[in-house]
PDB file of all heavy atoms in Angstrom:
ATOM      1  N   GLU A 101      38.949  37.197   6.555  1.00 96.00           N
ATOM      2  CA  GLU A 101      38.944  37.960   7.799  1.00 96.00           C
ATOM      3  C   GLU A 101      38.096  39.221   7.634  1.00 96.00           C
ATOM      4  O   GLU A 101      37.330  39.596   8.522  1.00 96.00           O
ATOM      5  CB  GLU A 101      40.374  38.337   8.170  1.00 96.00           C
ATOM      6  CG  GLU A 101      40.492  38.950   9.561  1.00 96.00           C
ATOM      7  CD  GLU A 101      41.929  39.309   9.887  1.00 96.00           C
ATOM      8  OE1 GLU A 101      42.574  39.989   9.064  1.00 96.00           O
ATOM      9  OE2 GLU A 101      42.390  38.930  10.965  1.00 96.00           O
ATOM     10  N   ILE A 108      38.150  45.231  16.567  1.00 87.00           N
ATOM     11  CA  ILE A 108      38.047  45.911  17.855  1.00 87.00           C
ATOM     12  C   ILE A 108      38.201  47.387  17.583  1.00 87.00           C
ATOM     13  O   ILE A 108      39.140  47.806  16.913  1.00 87.00           O
ATOM     14  CB  ILE A 108      39.173  45.451  18.796  1.00 87.00           C
ATOM     15  CG1 ILE A 108      39.012  43.969  19.120  1.00 87.00           C
ATOM     16  CG2 ILE A 108      39.151  46.243  20.067  1.00 87.00           C
ATOM     17  CD1 ILE A 108      40.144  43.437  19.938  1.00 87.00           C
ATOM     18  N   ARG A 110      38.477  50.757  19.824  1.00 80.00           N
ATOM     19  CA  ARG A 110      38.515  51.265  21.182  1.00 80.00           C
ATOM     20  C   ARG A 110      37.959  52.660  21.286  1.00 80.00           C
ATOM     21  O   ARG A 110      37.901  53.229  22.362  1.00 80.00           O
ATOM     22  CB  ARG A 110      39.966  51.235  21.685  1.00 80.00           C
ATOM     23  CG  ARG A 110      40.496  49.818  21.806  1.00 80.00           C
ATOM     24  CD  ARG A 110      40.073  49.178  23.089  1.00 80.00           C
ATOM     25  NE  ARG A 110      40.718  49.798  24.219  1.00 80.00           N
ATOM     26  CZ  ARG A 110      40.125  50.023  25.381  1.00 80.00           C
ATOM     27  NH1 ARG A 110      38.877  49.693  25.549  1.00 80.00           N
ATOM     28  NH2 ARG A 110      40.790  50.570  26.374  1.00 80.00           N
ATOM     29  N   HIS A 111      37.605  53.224  20.143  1.00 75.00           N
ATOM     30  CA  HIS A 111      37.124  54.601  20.174  1.00 75.00           C
ATOM     31  C   HIS A 111      35.612  54.675  20.033  1.00 75.00           C
ATOM     32  O   HIS A 111      35.092  55.605  19.459  1.00 75.00           O
ATOM     33  CB  HIS A 111      37.791  55.416  19.058  1.00 75.00           C
ATOM     34  CG  HIS A 111      39.264  55.529  19.272  1.00 75.00           C
ATOM     35  ND1 HIS A 111      40.143  55.687  18.246  1.00 75.00           N
ATOM     36  CD2 HIS A 111      40.013  55.464  20.389  1.00 75.00           C
ATOM     37  CE1 HIS A 111      41.375  55.738  18.733  1.00 75.00           C
ATOM     38  NE2 HIS A 111      41.323  55.603  20.030  1.00 75.00           N
ATOM     39  N   SER A 136      17.435  40.965  28.336  1.00 95.00           N
ATOM     40  CA  SER A 136      17.461  41.233  29.779  1.00 95.00           C
ATOM     41  C   SER A 136      16.654  42.487  30.108  1.00 95.00           C
ATOM     42  O   SER A 136      15.902  42.524  31.088  1.00 95.00           O
ATOM     43  CB  SER A 136      18.917  41.386  30.228  1.00 95.00           C
ATOM     44  OG  SER A 136      18.978  41.612  31.602  1.00 95.00           O
ATOM     45  N   GLU A 147      10.357  48.471  24.486  1.00 93.00           N
ATOM     46  CA  GLU A 147      11.430  47.510  24.751  1.00 93.00           C
ATOM     47  C   GLU A 147      11.317  46.311  23.822  1.00 93.00           C
ATOM     48  O   GLU A 147      12.302  45.779  23.337  1.00 93.00           O
ATOM     49  CB  GLU A 147      11.355  47.007  26.201  1.00 93.00           C
ATOM     50  CG  GLU A 147      11.735  48.022  27.247  1.00 93.00           C
ATOM     51  CD  GLU A 147      13.235  48.241  27.335  1.00 93.00           C
ATOM     52  OE1 GLU A 147      13.981  47.688  26.502  1.00 93.00           O
ATOM     53  OE2 GLU A 147      13.652  48.975  28.232  1.00 93.00           O
ATOM     54  N   ASP A 581       0.205  31.639  33.683  1.00 64.00           N
ATOM     55  CA  ASP A 581       1.025  32.836  33.500  1.00 64.00           C
ATOM     56  C   ASP A 581       0.301  33.902  32.716  1.00 64.00           C
ATOM     57  O   ASP A 581      -0.291  33.652  31.686  1.00 64.00           O
ATOM     58  CB  ASP A 581       2.343  32.480  32.793  1.00 64.00           C
ATOM     59  CG  ASP A 581       3.290  31.764  33.744  1.00 64.00           C
ATOM     60  OD1 ASP A 581       3.424  32.207  34.891  1.00 64.00           O
ATOM     61  OD2 ASP A 581       3.876  30.746  33.323  1.00 64.00           O
ATOM     62  N   ASP A 585       3.927  38.408  32.892  1.00 90.00           N
ATOM     63  CA  ASP A 585       4.963  37.490  33.334  1.00 90.00           C
ATOM     64  C   ASP A 585       6.170  37.579  32.391  1.00 90.00           C
ATOM     65  O   ASP A 585       6.030  37.959  31.231  1.00 90.00           O
ATOM     66  CB  ASP A 585       4.393  36.070  33.336  1.00 90.00           C
ATOM     67  CG  ASP A 585       5.388  35.073  33.878  1.00 90.00           C
ATOM     68  OD1 ASP A 585       5.635  35.085  35.091  1.00 90.00           O
ATOM     69  OD2 ASP A 585       5.955  34.315  33.072  1.00 90.00           O
ATOM     70  N   ASN A 586       7.324  37.248  32.918  1.00 91.00           N
ATOM     71  CA  ASN A 586       8.532  37.348  32.087  1.00 91.00           C
ATOM     72  C   ASN A 586       9.317  36.048  32.038  1.00 91.00           C
ATOM     73  O   ASN A 586      10.490  36.046  31.662  1.00 91.00           O
ATOM     74  CB  ASN A 586       9.445  38.473  32.601  1.00 91.00           C
ATOM     75  CG  ASN A 586      10.082  38.123  33.945  1.00 91.00           C
ATOM     76  OD1 ASN A 586       9.767  37.108  34.560  1.00 91.00           O
ATOM     77  ND2 ASN A 586      10.967  38.993  34.411  1.00 91.00           N
ATOM     78  N   ARG A 594      19.123  34.623  30.003  1.00 92.00           N
ATOM     79  CA  ARG A 594      20.180  33.910  30.701  1.00 92.00           C
ATOM     80  C   ARG A 594      20.949  32.966  29.798  1.00 92.00           C
ATOM     81  O   ARG A 594      21.942  32.368  30.224  1.00 92.00           O
ATOM     82  CB  ARG A 594      19.615  33.134  31.889  1.00 92.00           C
ATOM     83  CG  ARG A 594      19.175  34.057  33.000  1.00 92.00           C
ATOM     84  CD  ARG A 594      18.414  33.354  34.078  1.00 92.00           C
ATOM     85  NE  ARG A 594      18.094  34.284  35.156  1.00 92.00           N
ATOM     86  CZ  ARG A 594      17.218  34.032  36.113  1.00 92.00           C
ATOM     87  NH1 ARG A 594      16.584  32.869  36.134  1.00 92.00           N
ATOM     88  NH2 ARG A 594      16.988  34.924  37.053  1.00 92.00           N
ATOM     89  N   SER A 613      33.862  34.067  20.068  1.00 95.00           N
ATOM     90  CA  SER A 613      35.217  34.624  20.230  1.00 95.00           C
ATOM     91  C   SER A 613      36.242  33.507  20.029  1.00 95.00           C
ATOM     92  O   SER A 613      37.333  33.747  19.497  1.00 95.00           O
ATOM     93  CB  SER A 613      35.381  35.308  21.590  1.00 95.00           C
ATOM     94  OG  SER A 613      35.486  34.374  22.619  1.00 95.00           O
ATOM     95  N   ASP A 645      72.164  34.751  -7.421  1.00 91.00           N
ATOM     96  CA  ASP A 645      72.681  35.936  -8.094  1.00 91.00           C
ATOM     97  C   ASP A 645      74.193  36.048  -7.926  1.00 91.00           C
ATOM     98  O   ASP A 645      74.898  36.463  -8.841  1.00 91.00           O
ATOM     99  CB  ASP A 645      71.991  37.172  -7.504  1.00 91.00           C
ATOM    100  CG  ASP A 645      72.104  38.338  -8.432  1.00 91.00           C
ATOM    101  OD1 ASP A 645      71.597  38.234  -9.562  1.00 91.00           O
ATOM    102  OD2 ASP A 645      72.726  39.327  -8.037  1.00 91.00           O
ATOM    103  N   ALA A 646      74.668  35.672  -6.735  1.00 91.00           N
ATOM    104  CA  ALA A 646      76.118  35.726  -6.489  1.00 91.00           C
ATOM    105  C   ALA A 646      76.861  34.819  -7.454  1.00 91.00           C
ATOM    106  O   ALA A 646      77.965  35.112  -7.874  1.00 91.00           O
ATOM    107  CB  ALA A 646      76.414  35.331  -5.053  1.00 91.00           C
ATOM    108  N   VAL A 650      75.180  38.871 -13.290  1.00 92.00           N
ATOM    109  CA  VAL A 650      76.176  39.630 -14.056  1.00 92.00           C
ATOM    110  C   VAL A 650      76.642  40.799 -13.214  1.00 92.00           C
ATOM    111  O   VAL A 650      75.831  41.571 -12.725  1.00 92.00           O
ATOM    112  CB  VAL A 650      75.549  40.140 -15.361  1.00 92.00           C
ATOM    113  CG1 VAL A 650      76.487  41.102 -16.051  1.00 92.00           C
ATOM    114  CG2 VAL A 650      75.177  38.977 -16.249  1.00 92.00           C
TER     115      VAL A 650
ATOM    116  N   ARG B   2      79.873  37.377  -4.158  1.00 80.00           N
ATOM    117  CA  ARG B   2      79.817  38.315  -5.273  1.00 80.00           C
ATOM    118  C   ARG B   2      78.595  39.208  -5.174  1.00 80.00           C
ATOM    119  O   ARG B   2      77.507  38.761  -4.836  1.00 80.00           O
ATOM    120  CB  ARG B   2      79.696  37.531  -6.587  1.00 80.00           C
ATOM    121  CG  ARG B   2      81.009  37.090  -7.183  1.00 80.00           C
ATOM    122  CD  ARG B   2      80.725  36.330  -8.482  1.00 80.00           C
ATOM    123  NE  ARG B   2      80.541  37.228  -9.606  1.00 80.00           N
ATOM    124  CZ  ARG B   2      79.483  37.276 -10.389  1.00 80.00           C
ATOM    125  NH1 ARG B   2      78.447  36.498 -10.179  1.00 80.00           N
ATOM    126  NH2 ARG B   2      79.420  38.096 -11.401  1.00 80.00           N
ATOM    127  N   THR B   4      76.364  41.530  -7.543  1.00 82.00           N
ATOM    128  CA  THR B   4      76.212  41.733  -8.985  1.00 82.00           C
ATOM    129  C   THR B   4      75.380  42.970  -9.282  1.00 82.00           C
ATOM    130  O   THR B   4      74.971  43.690  -8.378  1.00 82.00           O
ATOM    131  CB  THR B   4      75.507  40.522  -9.606  1.00 82.00           C
ATOM    132  OG1 THR B   4      74.177  40.502  -9.073  1.00 82.00           O
ATOM    133  CG2 THR B   4      76.219  39.237  -9.256  1.00 82.00           C
ATOM    134  N   ALA B   5      75.129  43.159 -10.564  1.00 77.00           N
ATOM    135  CA  ALA B   5      74.355  44.327 -10.985  1.00 77.00           C
ATOM    136  C   ALA B   5      72.977  44.328 -10.374  1.00 77.00           C
ATOM    137  O   ALA B   5      72.403  45.371 -10.093  1.00 77.00           O
ATOM    138  CB  ALA B   5      74.257  44.348 -12.504  1.00 77.00           C
ATOM    139  N   THR B  32      45.225  54.821  15.493  1.00 89.00           N
ATOM    140  CA  THR B  32      44.079  54.215  16.159  1.00 89.00           C
ATOM    141  C   THR B  32      44.305  54.054  17.658  1.00 89.00           C
ATOM    142  O   THR B  32      43.357  53.853  18.407  1.00 89.00           O
ATOM    143  CB  THR B  32      43.783  52.809  15.593  1.00 89.00           C
ATOM    144  OG1 THR B  32      44.949  52.009  15.773  1.00 89.00           O
ATOM    145  CG2 THR B  32      43.423  52.866  14.134  1.00 89.00           C
ATOM    146  N   GLN B  34      45.583  51.571  18.876  1.00 91.00           N
ATOM    147  CA  GLN B  34      45.390  50.158  19.161  1.00 91.00           C
ATOM    148  C   GLN B  34      46.532  49.327  18.629  1.00 91.00           C
ATOM    149  O   GLN B  34      47.030  49.549  17.531  1.00 91.00           O
ATOM    150  CB  GLN B  34      44.103  49.655  18.491  1.00 91.00           C
ATOM    151  CG  GLN B  34      42.858  50.084  19.189  1.00 91.00           C
ATOM    152  CD  GLN B  34      41.621  49.748  18.374  1.00 91.00           C
ATOM    153  OE1 GLN B  34      40.749  50.577  18.227  1.00 91.00           O
ATOM    154  NE2 GLN B  34      41.546  48.554  17.841  1.00 91.00           N
ATOM    155  N   SER B  40      43.779  38.442  13.292  1.00 93.00           N
ATOM    156  CA  SER B  40      45.101  37.895  13.009  1.00 93.00           C
ATOM    157  C   SER B  40      46.225  38.711  13.644  1.00 93.00           C
ATOM    158  O   SER B  40      47.353  38.256  13.722  1.00 93.00           O
ATOM    159  CB  SER B  40      45.330  37.817  11.498  1.00 93.00           C
ATOM    160  OG  SER B  40      45.170  39.095  10.938  1.00 93.00           O
ATOM    161  N   ASP B  51      35.838  38.593  24.900  1.00 94.00           N
ATOM    162  CA  ASP B  51      35.202  38.040  26.089  1.00 94.00           C
ATOM    163  C   ASP B  51      34.978  39.122  27.138  1.00 94.00           C
ATOM    164  O   ASP B  51      33.907  39.188  27.765  1.00 94.00           O
ATOM    165  CB  ASP B  51      36.053  36.905  26.682  1.00 94.00           C
ATOM    166  CG  ASP B  51      35.970  35.629  25.854  1.00 94.00           C
ATOM    167  OD1 ASP B  51      35.036  35.530  25.029  1.00 94.00           O
ATOM    168  OD2 ASP B  51      36.816  34.740  26.032  1.00 94.00           O
ATOM    169  N   LYS B  57      29.438  44.494  28.559  1.00 93.00           N
ATOM    170  CA  LYS B  57      28.108  44.817  28.054  1.00 93.00           C
ATOM    171  C   LYS B  57      27.047  44.259  28.992  1.00 93.00           C
ATOM    172  O   LYS B  57      26.051  44.927  29.294  1.00 93.00           O
ATOM    173  CB  LYS B  57      27.957  44.236  26.639  1.00 93.00           C
ATOM    174  CG  LYS B  57      26.622  44.508  25.996  1.00 93.00           C
ATOM    175  CD  LYS B  57      26.529  45.897  25.440  1.00 93.00           C
ATOM    176  CE  LYS B  57      25.110  46.157  24.951  1.00 93.00           C
ATOM    177  NZ  LYS B  57      24.950  47.307  24.157  1.00 93.00           N
ATOM    178  N   ASN B  65      19.070  47.504  34.236  1.00 95.00           N
ATOM    179  CA  ASN B  65      17.954  46.853  34.923  1.00 95.00           C
ATOM    180  C   ASN B  65      17.791  47.414  36.321  1.00 95.00           C
ATOM    181  O   ASN B  65      16.680  47.654  36.801  1.00 95.00           O
ATOM    182  CB  ASN B  65      18.185  45.339  35.005  1.00 95.00           C
ATOM    183  CG  ASN B  65      18.024  44.673  33.658  1.00 95.00           C
ATOM    184  OD1 ASN B  65      17.688  45.326  32.679  1.00 95.00           O
ATOM    185  ND2 ASN B  65      18.283  43.378  33.599  1.00 95.00           N
ATOM    186  N   LYS B  68      16.004  50.607  36.330  1.00 93.00           N
ATOM    187  CA  LYS B  68      14.569  50.428  36.111  1.00 93.00           C
ATOM    188  C   LYS B  68      13.884  49.954  37.394  1.00 93.00           C
ATOM    189  O   LYS B  68      12.846  50.482  37.808  1.00 93.00           O
ATOM    190  CB  LYS B  68      14.365  49.379  35.014  1.00 93.00           C
ATOM    191  CG  LYS B  68      13.253  49.711  34.058  1.00 93.00           C
ATOM    192  CD  LYS B  68      13.039  48.612  33.079  1.00 93.00           C
ATOM    193  CE  LYS B  68      13.584  48.972  31.729  1.00 93.00           C
ATOM    194  NZ  LYS B  68      13.441  47.883  30.766  1.00 93.00           N
ATOM    195  N   THR B 137       1.200  39.835  37.953  1.00 88.00           N
ATOM    196  CA  THR B 137       1.568  39.825  36.537  1.00 88.00           C
ATOM    197  C   THR B 137       0.374  40.095  35.625  1.00 88.00           C
ATOM    198  O   THR B 137       0.497  40.087  34.416  1.00 88.00           O
ATOM    199  CB  THR B 137       2.206  38.485  36.137  1.00 88.00           C
ATOM    200  OG1 THR B 137       1.309  37.427  36.469  1.00 88.00           O
ATOM    201  CG2 THR B 137       3.544  38.282  36.827  1.00 88.00           C
ATOM    202  N   LYS B 163       1.548  36.637  41.504  1.00 88.00           N
ATOM    203  CA  LYS B 163       2.836  36.254  40.903  1.00 88.00           C
ATOM    204  C   LYS B 163       3.806  37.435  40.921  1.00 88.00           C
ATOM    205  O   LYS B 163       3.501  38.517  40.458  1.00 88.00           O
ATOM    206  CB  LYS B 163       2.577  35.788  39.468  1.00 88.00           C
ATOM    207  CG  LYS B 163       3.775  35.255  38.758  1.00 88.00           C
ATOM    208  CD  LYS B 163       3.928  33.737  38.949  1.00 88.00           C
ATOM    209  CE  LYS B 163       5.237  33.260  38.330  1.00 88.00           C
ATOM    210  NZ  LYS B 163       5.147  33.124  36.871  1.00 88.00           N
ATOM    211  N   GLN B 166      10.921  38.292  38.476  1.00 90.00           N
ATOM    212  CA  GLN B 166      12.261  38.693  38.874  1.00 90.00           C
ATOM    213  C   GLN B 166      12.983  39.279  37.669  1.00 90.00           C
ATOM    214  O   GLN B 166      12.688  38.935  36.542  1.00 90.00           O
ATOM    215  CB  GLN B 166      13.057  37.458  39.341  1.00 90.00           C
ATOM    216  CG  GLN B 166      12.389  36.663  40.429  1.00 90.00           C
ATOM    217  CD  GLN B 166      12.684  37.236  41.790  1.00 90.00           C
ATOM    218  OE1 GLN B 166      13.707  37.883  41.985  1.00 90.00           O
ATOM    219  NE2 GLN B 166      11.795  37.007  42.737  1.00 90.00           N
ATOM    220  N   ASP B 168      17.196  40.166  36.502  1.00 92.00           N
ATOM    221  CA  ASP B 168      18.591  39.964  36.901  1.00 92.00           C
ATOM    222  C   ASP B 168      19.283  41.303  37.066  1.00 92.00           C
ATOM    223  O   ASP B 168      19.228  42.151  36.172  1.00 92.00           O
ATOM    224  CB  ASP B 168      19.331  39.156  35.830  1.00 92.00           C
ATOM    225  CG  ASP B 168      18.918  37.696  35.844  1.00 92.00           C
ATOM    226  OD1 ASP B 168      18.486  37.212  36.899  1.00 92.00           O
ATOM    227  OD2 ASP B 168      19.020  37.049  34.784  1.00 92.00           O
ATOM    228  N   ASP B 268      45.438  48.149  23.653  1.00 91.00           N
ATOM    229  CA  ASP B 268      45.965  49.487  23.381  1.00 91.00           C
ATOM    230  C   ASP B 268      47.471  49.492  23.203  1.00 91.00           C
ATOM    231  O   ASP B 268      48.176  48.604  23.672  1.00 91.00           O
ATOM    232  CB  ASP B 268      45.587  50.441  24.521  1.00 91.00           C
ATOM    233  CG  ASP B 268      44.112  50.765  24.507  1.00 91.00           C
ATOM    234  OD1 ASP B 268      43.453  50.458  23.485  1.00 91.00           O
ATOM    235  OD2 ASP B 268      43.612  51.313  25.498  1.00 91.00           O
TER     236      ASP B 268
END
Side-chain angles (χ1 to χ4, degrees):
Chain A
E101 189 180 51
I108 295 175
R110 295 278 291 142
H111 295 152
S136 181
E147 289 284 6
D581 286 316
D585 184 72
N586 70 354
R594 289 170 176 166
S613 74
D645 200 61
V650 171
Chain B
R2 274 180 83 236
T4 66
T32 58
Q34 285 171 226
S40 57
D51 286 344
K57 180 79 186 193
N65 288 357
K68 220 184 255 177
T137 56
K163 185 91 186 281
Q166 305 276 334
D168 287 334
D268 289 347

